[in-house]
Short mmCIF file of all heavy atoms in Angstrom, two decimals:
data_model
loop_
_atom_site.label_atom_id
_atom_site.label_comp_id
_atom_site.label_asym_id
_atom_site.label_seq_id
_atom_site.Cartn_x
_atom_site.Cartn_y
_atom_site.Cartn_z
N ASP M 1 130.89 -171.88 12.13
CA ASP M 1 129.63 -172.63 12.37
C ASP M 1 129.24 -172.69 13.81
O ASP M 1 128.07 -172.78 14.06
CB ASP M 1 129.91 -174.17 11.89
CG ASP M 1 129.85 -174.25 10.37
OD1 ASP M 1 129.45 -173.24 9.64
OD2 ASP M 1 130.38 -175.26 9.87
N SER M 2 130.21 -172.56 14.66
CA SER M 2 129.86 -172.62 16.06
C SER M 2 128.96 -171.45 16.60
O SER M 2 128.29 -171.68 17.61
CB SER M 2 131.15 -172.57 16.88
OG SER M 2 132.03 -171.37 16.60
N VAL M 3 128.97 -170.33 15.87
CA VAL M 3 128.13 -169.20 16.36
C VAL M 3 127.01 -168.80 15.27
O VAL M 3 126.17 -168.02 15.65
CB VAL M 3 128.95 -168.05 16.74
CG1 VAL M 3 129.91 -168.44 17.75
CG2 VAL M 3 129.58 -167.42 15.49
N LYS M 4 127.08 -169.43 14.15
CA LYS M 4 126.18 -169.09 13.08
C LYS M 4 124.75 -169.29 13.42
O LYS M 4 124.42 -170.44 14.03
CB LYS M 4 126.49 -169.86 11.76
CG LYS M 4 126.00 -169.31 10.55
CD LYS M 4 126.52 -170.08 9.29
CE LYS M 4 127.93 -169.83 9.16
NZ LYS M 4 128.51 -170.53 7.96
N GLY M 5 123.84 -168.30 13.31
CA GLY M 5 122.50 -168.34 13.61
C GLY M 5 122.22 -167.91 15.04
O GLY M 5 121.06 -167.63 15.42
N ARG M 6 123.29 -167.64 15.79
CA ARG M 6 123.13 -167.27 17.23
C ARG M 6 123.60 -165.92 17.41
O ARG M 6 123.20 -165.04 18.18
CB ARG M 6 123.82 -168.20 18.14
CG ARG M 6 123.15 -169.71 18.13
CD ARG M 6 123.75 -170.50 19.27
NE ARG M 6 125.26 -170.57 19.15
CZ ARG M 6 126.04 -170.22 20.15
NH1 ARG M 6 125.53 -169.69 21.27
NH2 ARG M 6 127.38 -170.52 20.09
N PHE M 7 124.70 -165.46 16.75
CA PHE M 7 125.45 -164.32 16.83
C PHE M 7 125.23 -163.47 15.52
O PHE M 7 125.17 -164.00 14.58
CB PHE M 7 126.95 -164.47 17.08
CG PHE M 7 127.38 -165.13 18.37
CD1 PHE M 7 126.44 -165.68 19.24
CD2 PHE M 7 128.70 -165.18 18.77
CE1 PHE M 7 126.83 -166.28 20.43
CE2 PHE M 7 129.13 -165.75 19.94
CZ PHE M 7 128.12 -166.19 20.85
N THR M 8 125.22 -162.21 15.81
CA THR M 8 125.03 -161.21 14.69
C THR M 8 125.97 -160.08 15.01
O THR M 8 125.92 -159.39 15.87
CB THR M 8 123.60 -160.68 14.55
OG1 THR M 8 122.74 -161.75 14.39
CG2 THR M 8 123.40 -159.79 13.35
N ILE M 9 126.85 -159.79 13.96
CA ILE M 9 127.78 -158.68 13.92
C ILE M 9 127.07 -157.48 13.19
O ILE M 9 126.54 -157.76 12.13
CB ILE M 9 129.12 -159.02 13.48
CG1 ILE M 9 130.18 -157.86 13.72
CG2 ILE M 9 129.07 -159.43 12.04
CD1 ILE M 9 131.61 -158.30 13.45
N SER M 10 127.28 -156.32 13.63
CA SER M 10 126.74 -155.08 12.88
C SER M 10 127.85 -153.99 13.17
O SER M 10 128.58 -154.07 14.10
CB SER M 10 125.48 -154.75 13.36
OG SER M 10 125.33 -154.46 14.72
N ARG M 11 127.71 -152.98 12.39
CA ARG M 11 128.66 -151.80 12.56
C ARG M 11 127.98 -150.54 12.26
O ARG M 11 127.03 -150.41 11.42
CB ARG M 11 129.90 -151.99 11.73
CG ARG M 11 129.58 -152.08 10.26
CD ARG M 11 130.92 -152.42 9.46
NE ARG M 11 131.85 -151.32 9.38
CZ ARG M 11 133.08 -151.51 8.72
NH1 ARG M 11 133.49 -152.77 8.38
NH2 ARG M 11 133.89 -150.43 8.71
N ASP M 12 128.42 -149.48 12.96
CA ASP M 12 128.00 -148.11 12.65
C ASP M 12 129.31 -147.36 12.12
O ASP M 12 130.17 -147.06 12.95
CB ASP M 12 127.57 -147.43 13.91
CG ASP M 12 127.06 -146.04 13.85
OD1 ASP M 12 127.51 -145.40 12.79
OD2 ASP M 12 126.14 -145.63 14.61
N ASN M 13 129.29 -147.13 10.82
CA ASN M 13 130.46 -146.58 10.24
C ASN M 13 130.67 -145.09 10.65
O ASN M 13 131.81 -144.72 10.71
CB ASN M 13 130.35 -146.71 8.64
CG ASN M 13 130.50 -148.07 8.16
OD1 ASN M 13 131.22 -149.01 8.78
ND2 ASN M 13 129.84 -148.40 7.20
N ALA M 14 129.61 -144.46 10.89
CA ALA M 14 129.69 -143.07 11.25
C ALA M 14 130.37 -142.96 12.54
O ALA M 14 131.01 -141.94 12.88
CB ALA M 14 128.22 -142.44 11.28
N GLU M 15 130.12 -143.96 13.50
CA GLU M 15 130.65 -143.89 14.85
C GLU M 15 131.90 -144.75 15.05
O GLU M 15 132.49 -144.84 16.09
CB GLU M 15 129.72 -144.28 15.89
CG GLU M 15 128.52 -143.36 15.96
CD GLU M 15 128.82 -141.96 16.48
OE1 GLU M 15 129.75 -141.94 17.19
OE2 GLU M 15 128.07 -141.06 16.10
N ASN M 16 132.24 -145.49 13.91
CA ASN M 16 133.38 -146.43 13.90
C ASN M 16 133.22 -147.41 15.24
O ASN M 16 134.21 -147.79 15.91
CB ASN M 16 134.71 -145.69 14.18
CG ASN M 16 135.12 -144.95 12.77
OD1 ASN M 16 134.86 -145.53 11.71
ND2 ASN M 16 135.69 -143.88 12.99
N THR M 17 131.99 -147.90 15.19
CA THR M 17 131.68 -148.81 16.39
C THR M 17 131.14 -150.17 15.83
O THR M 17 130.48 -150.18 14.78
CB THR M 17 130.62 -148.20 17.29
OG1 THR M 17 131.09 -147.10 17.76
CG2 THR M 17 130.15 -149.22 18.34
N VAL M 18 131.48 -151.24 16.44
CA VAL M 18 131.09 -152.61 16.03
C VAL M 18 130.39 -153.22 17.12
O VAL M 18 130.86 -152.92 18.33
CB VAL M 18 132.20 -153.40 15.37
CG1 VAL M 18 133.26 -153.82 16.52
CG2 VAL M 18 131.79 -154.72 14.87
N TYR M 19 129.48 -153.97 16.81
CA TYR M 19 128.48 -154.60 17.85
C TYR M 19 128.50 -156.14 17.57
O TYR M 19 128.75 -156.63 16.41
CB TYR M 19 127.08 -154.09 17.78
CG TYR M 19 126.96 -152.60 17.92
CD1 TYR M 19 126.93 -151.88 16.87
CD2 TYR M 19 127.00 -152.02 19.19
CE1 TYR M 19 126.80 -150.43 16.97
CE2 TYR M 19 126.90 -150.64 19.31
CZ TYR M 19 126.81 -149.81 18.18
OH TYR M 19 126.73 -148.47 18.32
N LEU M 20 128.26 -156.86 18.60
CA LEU M 20 128.09 -158.32 18.58
C LEU M 20 126.75 -158.75 19.45
O LEU M 20 126.89 -158.60 20.62
CB LEU M 20 129.30 -159.04 18.92
CG LEU M 20 129.16 -160.66 18.65
CD1 LEU M 20 129.18 -160.98 17.29
CD2 LEU M 20 130.32 -161.39 19.54
N GLN M 21 125.83 -158.94 18.79
CA GLN M 21 124.62 -159.57 19.51
C GLN M 21 124.74 -161.00 19.60
O GLN M 21 124.84 -161.63 18.62
CB GLN M 21 123.27 -159.10 18.70
CG GLN M 21 121.99 -159.61 19.28
CD GLN M 21 121.64 -158.96 20.66
OE1 GLN M 21 121.84 -157.73 20.73
NE2 GLN M 21 121.32 -159.84 21.61
N MET M 22 124.66 -161.47 20.90
CA MET M 22 124.85 -162.86 21.12
C MET M 22 123.47 -163.40 21.81
O MET M 22 123.18 -163.04 22.78
CB MET M 22 126.07 -163.08 22.06
CG MET M 22 127.42 -162.47 21.50
SD MET M 22 128.77 -162.95 22.50
CE MET M 22 128.43 -161.96 24.02
N ASN M 23 122.98 -164.39 20.99
CA ASN M 23 121.70 -165.02 21.58
C ASN M 23 121.93 -166.36 21.75
O ASN M 23 122.82 -167.03 21.31
CB ASN M 23 120.60 -164.80 20.47
CG ASN M 23 120.26 -163.25 20.34
OD1 ASN M 23 120.37 -162.53 21.21
ND2 ASN M 23 119.75 -162.94 19.12
N SER M 24 121.01 -167.04 22.57
CA SER M 24 121.06 -168.45 22.87
C SER M 24 122.47 -168.90 23.32
O SER M 24 123.00 -169.79 22.76
CB SER M 24 120.65 -169.32 21.49
OG SER M 24 119.45 -168.97 21.12
N LEU M 25 122.95 -168.09 24.28
CA LEU M 25 124.34 -168.34 24.66
C LEU M 25 124.44 -169.69 25.37
O LEU M 25 123.53 -170.24 26.07
CB LEU M 25 124.66 -167.30 25.61
CG LEU M 25 125.19 -165.90 24.92
CD1 LEU M 25 125.16 -164.76 25.93
CD2 LEU M 25 126.55 -166.14 24.35
N LYS M 26 125.62 -170.32 25.31
CA LYS M 26 125.97 -171.59 25.84
C LYS M 26 127.11 -171.48 26.73
O LYS M 26 127.99 -170.61 26.55
CB LYS M 26 126.35 -172.55 24.60
CG LYS M 26 125.20 -172.68 23.58
CD LYS M 26 125.67 -173.67 22.39
CE LYS M 26 124.65 -173.77 21.36
NZ LYS M 26 125.17 -174.66 20.14
N PRO M 27 127.42 -172.40 27.62
CA PRO M 27 128.52 -172.27 28.49
C PRO M 27 129.80 -172.32 27.69
O PRO M 27 130.82 -171.74 28.18
CB PRO M 27 128.36 -173.60 29.40
CG PRO M 27 126.94 -173.89 29.45
CD PRO M 27 126.38 -173.48 28.18
N GLU M 28 129.85 -173.01 26.64
CA GLU M 28 131.15 -173.04 25.79
C GLU M 28 131.44 -171.73 25.04
O GLU M 28 132.46 -171.52 24.64
CB GLU M 28 131.05 -174.24 24.83
CG GLU M 28 129.77 -174.15 23.75
CD GLU M 28 128.83 -175.18 24.44
OE1 GLU M 28 128.43 -175.33 25.65
OE2 GLU M 28 128.14 -175.87 23.67
N ASP M 29 130.41 -170.67 25.23
CA ASP M 29 130.73 -169.44 24.66
C ASP M 29 131.52 -168.52 25.65
O ASP M 29 131.90 -167.40 25.35
CB ASP M 29 129.41 -168.71 24.43
CG ASP M 29 128.66 -169.31 23.25
OD1 ASP M 29 129.26 -169.75 22.21
OD2 ASP M 29 127.48 -169.43 23.34
N THR M 30 131.65 -169.15 26.89
CA THR M 30 132.45 -168.45 27.96
C THR M 30 133.89 -168.12 27.35
O THR M 30 134.60 -169.09 26.99
CB THR M 30 132.53 -169.23 29.23
OG1 THR M 30 131.18 -169.32 29.81
CG2 THR M 30 133.43 -168.56 30.18
N ALA M 31 134.19 -166.81 27.40
CA ALA M 31 135.53 -166.39 26.92
C ALA M 31 135.75 -164.89 27.14
O ALA M 31 134.80 -164.22 27.52
CB ALA M 31 135.67 -166.66 25.40
N VAL M 32 136.95 -164.56 26.92
CA VAL M 32 137.21 -163.10 26.79
C VAL M 32 137.03 -162.72 25.35
O VAL M 32 137.58 -163.42 24.41
CB VAL M 32 138.64 -162.69 27.20
CG1 VAL M 32 138.79 -161.22 27.03
CG2 VAL M 32 138.83 -163.10 28.76
N TYR M 33 136.23 -161.76 25.10
CA TYR M 33 135.91 -161.36 23.63
C TYR M 33 136.76 -160.07 23.34
O TYR M 33 136.69 -159.08 24.13
CB TYR M 33 134.51 -161.21 23.50
CG TYR M 33 133.61 -162.43 23.46
CD1 TYR M 33 133.50 -163.30 24.55
CD2 TYR M 33 133.10 -162.77 22.26
CE1 TYR M 33 132.74 -164.47 24.51
CE2 TYR M 33 132.38 -164.03 22.21
CZ TYR M 33 132.24 -164.89 23.28
OH TYR M 33 131.54 -166.06 23.23
N TYR M 34 137.26 -160.22 22.21
CA TYR M 34 138.15 -159.04 21.73
C TYR M 34 137.68 -158.52 20.37
O TYR M 34 137.25 -159.29 19.48
CB TYR M 34 139.59 -159.41 21.52
CG TYR M 34 140.23 -160.06 22.66
CD1 TYR M 34 140.17 -161.38 22.99
CD2 TYR M 34 141.00 -159.19 23.50
CE1 TYR M 34 140.76 -161.96 24.03
CE2 TYR M 34 141.67 -159.69 24.56
CZ TYR M 34 141.56 -161.05 24.85
OH TYR M 34 142.24 -161.67 25.95
N CYS M 35 137.62 -157.16 20.14
CA CYS M 35 137.31 -156.58 18.94
C CYS M 35 138.61 -156.34 18.11
O CYS M 35 139.70 -156.08 18.76
CB CYS M 35 136.43 -155.40 18.98
SG CYS M 35 137.23 -153.97 19.82
N ARG M 36 138.47 -156.38 16.88
CA ARG M 36 139.66 -156.14 15.98
C ARG M 36 139.26 -155.23 14.85
O ARG M 36 138.23 -155.52 14.22
CB ARG M 36 140.21 -157.44 15.59
CG ARG M 36 141.55 -157.31 14.74
CD ARG M 36 141.95 -158.66 14.23
NE ARG M 36 143.24 -158.67 13.52
CZ ARG M 36 143.87 -159.70 12.97
NH1 ARG M 36 143.38 -160.82 13.00
NH2 ARG M 36 145.00 -159.51 12.31
N TYR M 37 140.03 -154.22 14.50
CA TYR M 37 139.68 -153.38 13.38
C TYR M 37 141.00 -153.69 12.44
O TYR M 37 142.07 -153.50 12.84
CB TYR M 37 139.70 -152.02 13.70
CG TYR M 37 138.31 -151.54 14.40
CD1 TYR M 37 137.59 -152.46 15.01
CD2 TYR M 37 138.05 -150.21 14.55
CE1 TYR M 37 136.38 -152.02 15.66
CE2 TYR M 37 136.88 -149.73 15.20
CZ TYR M 37 136.09 -150.69 15.76
OH TYR M 37 134.96 -150.29 16.37
N TRP M 38 140.62 -153.77 11.18
CA TRP M 38 141.65 -153.81 10.08
C TRP M 38 141.52 -152.54 9.30
O TRP M 38 140.57 -151.95 9.05
CB TRP M 38 141.34 -154.86 9.05
CG TRP M 38 141.61 -156.33 9.60
CD1 TRP M 38 142.79 -157.04 9.41
CD2 TRP M 38 140.63 -157.15 10.25
NE1 TRP M 38 142.56 -158.34 10.02
CE2 TRP M 38 141.24 -158.38 10.50
CE3 TRP M 38 139.28 -157.01 10.75
CZ2 TRP M 38 140.75 -159.35 11.26
CZ3 TRP M 38 138.65 -157.95 11.36
CH2 TRP M 38 139.38 -159.22 11.65
N ALA M 39 142.76 -151.97 9.11
CA ALA M 39 142.83 -150.74 8.27
C ALA M 39 143.98 -150.74 7.35
O ALA M 39 144.72 -151.68 7.31
CB ALA M 39 143.07 -149.55 9.34
N ARG M 40 144.08 -149.62 6.50
CA ARG M 40 145.01 -149.70 5.50
C ARG M 40 146.39 -149.82 6.03
O ARG M 40 147.32 -150.46 5.27
CB ARG M 40 144.91 -148.40 4.64
CG ARG M 40 145.75 -148.35 3.40
CD ARG M 40 145.27 -147.33 2.41
NE ARG M 40 143.92 -147.61 1.94
CZ ARG M 40 143.24 -146.89 1.19
NH1 ARG M 40 143.84 -145.83 0.60
NH2 ARG M 40 142.05 -147.20 0.68
N LEU M 41 146.77 -149.31 7.15
CA LEU M 41 148.06 -149.21 7.66
C LEU M 41 148.34 -150.14 8.77
O LEU M 41 149.34 -150.20 9.43
CB LEU M 41 148.34 -147.91 8.20
CG LEU M 41 148.36 -146.71 7.14
CD1 LEU M 41 148.71 -145.32 7.66
CD2 LEU M 41 149.33 -147.11 5.98
#
């Protein structure tokens, strides 16, 4: 709920890339942001 409506995640499967569009940013969004991929192994 803290980011719903402000952040949008998307991915490009051909490039194995994930994006995070962050709008209406707030000071409490300050952080180190990490991506994570889940795979079969």
Side-chain angles (χ1 to χ4, degrees):
D1 288 344
S2 58
V3 306
K4 197 174 292 183
R6 300 188 298 122
F7 291 9
T8 302
I9 189 171
S10 60
R11 62 189 282 174
D12 182 334
N13 290 328
E15 298 293 332
N16 287 320
T17 299
V18 65
Y19 304 95
L20 185 68
Q21 178 67 43
M22 305 185 294
N23 299 327
S24 303
L25 282 161
K26 305 175 181 180
E28 51 263 42
D29 295 318
T30 294
V32 178
Y33 284 70
Y34 301 88
C35 61
R36 183 181 183 184
Y37 287 16
W38 288 266
R40 186 163 298 181
L41 299 180

